[in-house]
Amino acid sequence: MRILLVQPTTRYPNNKLLRSKTRWLLGLTIPYLAGLTPRSITVEVADDRLGPIPYQRRYDLVGITATCATADRAYEIAREFRQRGTPVVMGGFHVTLHPEEVLEHCDAVVVGEAEPVWEQVLEDARLHRLKPRYQANEFHDMVGLPRPRLELMDYRKYRVKIVPTQTSRGCPYHCSFCEVPIVYGHTYRRRPLGEVLEEIKTLVRITGLKNIYFIDDNLTGHRDYAKELFRGLMPLNVSWSCLWTINTSRDEELLDLAKKSGCSHVNIGIENVCPESIDSIEKVQNPVKEYEWLLGRLRDKGIFYSLNFMFGLDGDRLELFNETLVFLDRIKAPMAFFNSATPRRGTPLWEQLNQEGRVHKPEAEKYLGMVCNFVPKNMSPEECEEGVWRCFQKFYSFSSICRRLLLPPTGYIFQGLPSNLFFHYVANRRIDPVDFY
């Protein structure tokens, strides 16, 4: 039996497909799904962004993963294979949130996590008896997960050579704009630490790389677990990056362990510097008045960080864009990303805005945060979008880069300057830096 696993690319609002010769980072979904597949089955992989899809080859099944941003392109790929007589199964966040919509474009969907049902999907495909919907009755306990088959991936096509892995799924918080709690049933589950560390050792040996990326939505959602993980990483002599919440900085022992174990970068959803806006999205873990202190602790420990912002929330006014830039300049933030708030269908924020009649461009959820899909209270959607681009262009201007990284020199120069200069180039061409990931 032969299967193909496909990662679709994004289609821009102007109908143009996002293409590139390389990506910034390797994701986990496709190699992990390959690892979940029995070795008796031949697995091929295709990244629609990096090269052509092999429609002409014969497969017993094509599996396509879909996010909100890639769903439309996923449907096109599915249609092409089905016209050639190849069955298609789809999974991913968008599928879990909207299975009935997706079923109009494929033969079967996997709703939720794949581990409990994937072998049944493959067996049913082999016997030509695919069911429309596969969904486990409960969430996986995260024990005994297979290792991702990174050997199937061409690392020459990724600019940053990293090893993706996971320690947990879900998040202990319930922000109203986020689909993670919905998809994972408001659970926060963790893998046995011994299995995580053994997997990292194996992947380092296979790839020859010692740069680890934890794909967890919140690596430090359970502080004691995170500390034990960091202690276990120390003898491995690896460098690692992750996502965690800003309130992680309250725990000095955790920060010390993170640094000693090789932490090279953390990405933080700071979202907004307006307390009213933070309250409107139920982001209880983000104390706006303590941002400067909490981020200062990362600087004191020498931990490089990047921040994510969203605009258009109920407390946001036009002056907030400049206030955000002043804040970032004051703390000398090494890196930041800016977006229009883009609630996905199925999240509490979407339901609220939809009931209020404020969703004016529902398809904009597919455009990665550069298009405002609802009417903010205190600005127009167009003003919100322009404010986002202005933040990108001013934050990554030469004068801002000099103030934040060079005058005087900070400990972030060597790690931050190359990415800042690259983002200066793309932001001035109105290309979202996130596209390169």
Side-chain angles (χ1 to χ4, degrees):
M1 186 176 180
R2 180 187 300 272
I3 69 171
L4 175 70
L5 302 176
V6 179
Q7 182 171 352
T9 191
T10 303
R11 186 177 290 283
Y12 285 121
N14 63 5
N15 215 34
K16 182 181 179 181
L17 292 175
L18 172 59
R19 302 287 196 194
S20 62
K21 293 182 180 179
T22 60
R23 281 185 185 266
W24 207 272
L25 302 174
L26 171 65
L28 184 63
T29 301
I30 294 299
Y32 178 73
L33 197 57
L36 197 60
T37 303
R39 294 304 177 96
S40 59
I41 296 174
T42 300
V43 179
E44 296 180 16
V45 299
D47 189 326
D48 182 37
R49 174 171 159 182
L50 300 177
I53 302 294
Y55 294 114
Q56 74 284 358
R57 296 183 192 169
R58 297 292 300 173
Y59 298 102
D60 298 286
L61 182 69
V62 170
I64 305 176
T65 181
T67 64
C68 294
T70 62
D72 283 350
R73 177 57 178 163
Y75 299 156
E76 295 174 6
I77 296 170
R79 180 170 62 249
E80 182 67 28
F81 275 112
R82 295 176 82 200
Q83 287 174 349
R84 295 166 181 259
T86 304
V88 174
V89 59
M90 292 180 63
F93 266 35
H94 187 74
V95 177
T96 297
L97 291 170
H98 311 293
E100 299 307 319
E101 171 200 307
V102 178
L103 261 176
E104 297 175 8
H105 303 275
C106 61
D107 299 283
V109 294
V110 172
V111 179
E113 296 174 326
E115 288 92 353
V117 300
W118 184 238
E119 286 202 34
Q120 188 62 55
V121 171
L122 296 171
E123 179 64 9
D124 288 352
R126 186 182 70 82
L127 298 174
H128 307 287
R129 63 181 191 193
L130 272 177
K131 297 189 287 286
R133 180 172 177 141
Y134 294 85
Q135 182 173 6
N137 294 324
E138 56 188 21
F139 292 102
H140 198 276
D141 61 9
M142 303 288 286
V143 175
L145 298 185
R147 74 159 180 85
R149 294 187 64 188
L150 300 185
E151 65 271 21
L152 298 178
M153 313 308 292
D154 185 356
Y155 266 98
R156 293 172 299 179
K157 295 185 176 181
Y158 301 92
R159 299 183 186 188
V160 179
K161 313 301 183 187
I162 57 110
V163 171
T165 189
Q166 60 181 321
T167 74
S168 65
R169 286 187 193 157
C171 181
Y173 301 106
H174 310 289
C175 307
S176 66
F177 66 89
C178 186
E179 61 266 37
V180 168
I182 311 299
V183 170
Y184 292 124
H186 297 276
T187 66
Y188 184 64
R189 290 160 289 137
R190 301 176 299 281
R191 296 177 66 186
L193 273 174
E195 293 185 13
V196 173
L197 295 171
E198 284 304 311
E199 177 175 287
I200 290 173
K201 292 176 186 176
T202 300
L203 293 176
V204 166
R205 185 174 66 252
I206 289 173
T207 63
L209 302 173
K210 305 197 79 173
N211 190 8
I212 310 299
Y213 173 53
F214 294 104
I215 65 144
D216 306 45
D217 296 295
N218 184 356
L219 185 68
T220 55
H222 190 287
R223 302 270 178 89
D224 290 340
Y225 178 89
K227 291 175 184 178
E228 287 305 308
L229 171 66
F230 301 158
R231 291 187 181 101
L233 290 173
M234 287 180 188
L236 304 187
N237 193 28
V238 296
S239 174
W240 58 268
S241 56
C242 72
L243 291 82
W244 73 32
T245 50
I246 191 169
N247 62 345
T248 300
S249 289
R250 294 185 185 282
D251 193 325
E252 188 165 9
E253 181 189 18
L254 187 149
L255 294 184
D256 286 335
L257 289 170
K259 182 63 178 178
K260 291 176 182 177
S261 64
C263 179
S264 61
H265 172 230
V266 296
N267 180 255
I268 299 170
I270 195 171
E271 317 307 0
N272 206 284
V273 297
C274 171
E276 182 184 347
S277 292
I278 290 295
D279 290 343
S280 76
I281 56 173
E282 302 176 31
K283 190 120 186 172
V284 298
Q285 66 272 32
N286 279 30
V288 176
K289 292 181 179 179
E290 297 180 81
Y291 280 176
E292 198 162 343
W293 170 64
L294 292 170
L295 293 173
R297 298 194 81 176
L298 294 180
R299 180 179 295 277
D300 293 342
K301 300 295 182 182
I303 296 176
F304 185 88
Y305 66 87
S306 58
L307 304 174
N308 303 324
F309 289 87
M310 59 171 64
F311 296 100
L313 301 174
D314 281 357
D316 293 6
R317 290 171 173 78
L318 287 175
E319 54 267 27
L320 181 68
F321 297 105
N322 285 333
E323 291 170 1
T324 301
L325 290 168
V326 169
F327 166 77
L328 291 171
D329 201 60
R330 185 171 65 248
I331 66 170
K332 296 183 178 293
M335 203 157 76
F337 301 99
F338 309 96
N339 295 277
S340 299
T342 310
R344 312 295 192 191
R345 286 179 293 155
T347 62
L349 183 56
W350 170 280
E351 298 302 330
Q352 173 202 329
L353 294 168
N354 201 35
Q355 288 175 8
E356 294 173 359
R358 294 166 60 190
V359 176
H360 83 115
K361 196 181 288 185
E363 73 280 4
E365 68 167 339
K366 300 171 183 175
Y367 301 143
L368 300 178
M370 304 313 290
V371 180
C372 187
N373 67 349
F374 66 97
V375 180
K377 278 189 174 181
N378 303 303
M379 65 184 78
S380 69
E382 293 75 19
E383 287 173 327
C384 183
E385 293 164 12
E386 283 303 311
V388 168
W389 282 117
R390 189 164 66 253
C391 283
F392 263 126
Q393 290 165 350
K394 289 194 172 185
F395 182 79
Y396 289 112
S397 67
F398 287 135
S399 59
S400 171
I401 292 171
C402 286
R403 287 193 306 272
R404 291 182 291 104
L405 299 178
L406 301 173
L407 301 173
T410 72
Y412 294 143
I413 289 179
F414 296 110
Q415 193 168 352
L417 190 56
S419 56
N420 272 250
L421 292 174
F422 179 72
F423 292 157
H424 167 85
Y425 172 83
V426 298
N428 280 288
R429 286 157 180 77
R430 289 212 165 197
I431 301 172
D432 181 3
V434 176
D435 286 351
F436 292 90
Y437 288 86

